[in-house]
Amino acid sequence: MPRAVGRLLVTPVDGDAPVRSRRLRVLGLGERDDASFDDFDAFADRVAEVTDVPFSMVNFIDGNRQFYAGLHTPAGTRRGADLGATAAGSGRSGRYVALDHGYCPHVVVRRKALVLDDVCDYPRFAGNPVVDDIGIRSYLGAPLIDRTGIALGAVCAVDTVPRPWGRAGLDTIKSLARELVGHLRSREENALGL
């Protein structure tokens, strides 16, 4: 359900959430049970290195929450708590966060990259909890649209200072998203024995 703050819509309406949730379950994504997600952490590290940011994520989104499958934090701890995430059940790492936390749900619903040089320049995004809670000031994200046409989540880079991402930043995050979608396809084909 979208959350309104004043007259601004904080969480976008997501009509594709049920289909996305089913697809994530089929792919075995959206839950972190084992070391099979280490490659997503490595990918998040690469995103942070390429974009020179303190935080980056590979984020899968179902109808109820976001899951940081890949996470890069400044301290290198990969702790979701650094970004306000919590654990979900015993043995689960703290990588779950509410839908109104951050900008990836907007990327998924829009099915387009989102470039925010300074989130405070956009009233719709300035009131997001990540601004006050974590100090996020800039965001660069692109959707992960799989072979079935479903936007499963987003890959993103965020910084605590405004960043002029420009066309180069947009091209970079879109290229990284395409690369990761290729990895997801290979992962699915390997699981099916294709």
Side-chain angles (χ1 to χ4, degrees), residues 105-182:
H106 295 273
V107 170
V108 170
V109 169
R110 291 166 30 116
R111 301 174 55 88
K112 293 182 189 177
L114 179 62
V115 178
L116 301 172
D117 294 341
D118 185 343
V119 298
C120 294
D121 288 344
Y122 304 89
R124 179 176 188 176
F125 299 119
N128 195 284
V130 298
V131 176
D132 291 333
D133 296 349
I134 303 162
I136 300 303
R137 285 295 299 272
S138 59
Y139 174 91
L140 178 67
L144 300 170
I145 300 174
D146 83 344
R147 66 174 182 79
T148 66
I150 297 171
L152 301 173
V155 60
C156 69
V158 296
D159 207 335
T160 56
V161 296
R163 295 279 300 265
W165 299 109
R167 183 66 192 192
L170 176 62
D171 291 343
T172 297
I173 202 69
K174 288 167 75 174
S175 175
L176 288 164
R178 282 190 301 273
E179 181 181 333
L180 187 53
V181 167

Side-chain angles (χ1 to χ4, degrees), residues 26-54:
V26 165
L27 294 172
L29 302 171
E31 296 281 329
R32 185 179 179 94
D33 293 339
D34 55 36
S36 70
F37 283 90
D38 288 348
D39 51 344
F40 291 116
D41 283 335
F43 195 87
D45 288 342
R46 187 158 158 257
V47 170
E49 181 180 335
V50 168
T51 59
D52 191 29
V53 295

Side-chain angles (χ1 to χ4, degrees), residues 77-95:
T77 61
R78 302 191 192 291
R79 290 182 27 182
D82 295 346
L83 291 167
T86 60
S90 63
R92 302 280 196 268
S93 107
R95 302 263 186 127

